[in-house]
Amino acid sequence: MTRIRRGYRTRRRRKKIRLFASSFRGAHSRLTRTIIQQKIRALVSSYRGRERQKRTFRRLWVARINAVIRDNIVSYSYSRLINNLYKRQLLLNRKILSQIAILNRNCLYMISNDILK
């Protein structure tokens, strides 16, 4: 029987994994098994971070809108503003509302007063 030369596909796969982990420290960038584990861990962490970032930005937008709205009218709040926006079918998301609140408070006051009527 002739000798079979092996390992081309495996080498190619491992090389690709090593390129991903080249910036990791110690065995995390040298040993194939630990590289694979760290790659999975890194990808999970990055996904979790992206989801957390969406949450934190939404919280920031809500806090900004609420702070500006409460300055204008004493008994008015963020939840009432959003509820009235939905009733009037105004499609303004929280990101845009918070930018309006920061850059042009009078515009947000006009929107909220117009909705109340």
Side-chain angles (χ1 to χ4, degrees):
M1 258 174 101
T2 58
R3 182 164 103 52
I4 300 169
R5 297 184 331 194
R6 298 177 57 227
Y8 171 69
R9 289 192 179 122
T10 308
R11 249 195 331 273
R12 197 169 51 179
R13 181 173 48 86
R14 287 179 185 160
K15 188 177 180 183
K16 192 165 61 172
I17 293 170
R18 282 210 169 89
L19 280 172
F20 180 85
S22 62
S23 63
F24 295 171
R25 293 183 64 186
H28 298 304
S29 66
R30 290 190 193 95
L31 304 178
T32 304
R33 197 175 287 176
T34 53
I35 287 173
I36 291 168
Q37 291 171 357
Q38 288 304 309
K39 180 182 177 182
I40 292 168
R41 188 172 174 154
L43 293 174
V44 166
S45 296
S46 66
Y47 175 76
R48 189 185 329 117
R50 287 193 301 272
E51 294 303 310
R52 189 174 289 153
Q53 185 183 31
K54 291 174 185 130
R55 263 181 267 154
T56 54
F57 270 108
R58 186 182 168 106
R59 285 179 62 189
L60 175 69
W61 298 331
V62 168
R64 285 177 175 171
I65 296 165
N66 197 21
V68 171
I69 285 297
R70 285 180 186 268
D71 282 345
N72 188 21
I73 303 171
V74 176
S75 64
Y76 205 52
S77 67
Y78 165 81
S79 60
R80 286 187 182 157
L81 172 74
I82 296 296
N83 187 20
N84 290 333
L85 279 171
Y86 276 109
K87 282 180 185 174
R88 291 288 178 107
Q89 295 179 342
L90 289 173
L91 300 173
L92 290 172
N93 60 14
R94 286 156 184 84
K95 181 180 177 181
I96 300 299
L97 281 173
S98 70
Q99 286 177 349
I100 292 171
I102 292 170
L103 299 174
N104 195 355
R105 287 185 177 198
N106 293 332
C107 183
L108 189 67
Y109 293 155
M110 286 171 52
I111 292 170
S112 62
N113 290 335
D114 194 40
I115 290 171
L116 282 173
K117 294 174 184 175

